[in-house]
Amino acid sequence: SGDQPSAATTQTTPLAMAPPDFTSAVDEAILSGQADVAVHSLKDLPPIGRWKAAGRLTIGCHLPRGNPLDVLIGPAESLEALPAGARVGSASVRRQAQLLWARPDVRPV
């Protein structure tokens, strides 16, 4: 899934805009017979016009959307409780922007 970036990278381009899209390897595994089905997060699929498997694979079903809220993991009980200059891990451009909007003093890593 796109929620598992390497520890040392920071995302600079939205995943749906970044070539090649990272769902292609799994899609190709289905098309080549190496896998029977795949499970993707719908948010990770590129727009239909750039989805390489469009017309060859079908989105057969989707589950009801769960709670889309992000969570803070660590010793602080809230974003406000983070110490000044705290380092916060996230490879998501969206989350980094939201974090810096709320706490310009922290450092995304």
Side-chain angles (χ1 to χ4, degrees), residues 21-36:
D21 84 71
F22 67 94
T23 61
S24 294
V26 176
D27 295 341
E28 290 302 321
I30 297 168
L31 294 168
S32 71
Q34 295 175 331
D36 296 314

Side-chain angles (χ1 to χ4, degrees), residues 1 13 32 43 52 59 78-79 83-84:
S1 150
T13 304
S32 71
K43 70 175 179 54
K52 294 177 184 176
I59 298 172
S78 68
L79 193 56

Side-chain angles (χ1 to χ4, degrees), residues 47-58:
I48 194 74
R50 289 200 313 273
W51 185 31
K52 294 177 184 176
R56 299 183 296 158
L57 294 178
T58 301

Side-chain angles (χ1 to χ4, degrees), residues 11-22 43 50 91-94:
Q11 179 184 338
T12 58
T13 304
L15 292 174
M17 302 298 290
D21 84 71
F22 67 94
K43 70 175 179 54
R50 289 200 313 273
S92 165
V93 172
R94 175 184 58 84

Side-chain angles (χ1 to χ4, degrees), residues 1-13 15 22 43-44 88-93 95-96 109:
S1 150
D3 295 332
Q4 297 179 4
S6 68
T9 63
T10 299
Q11 179 184 338
T12 58
T13 304
L15 292 174
F22 67 94
K43 70 175 179 54
D44 295 336
V88 180
S90 178
S92 165
V93 172
R95 288 185 192 106
Q96 289 176 19
V109 294

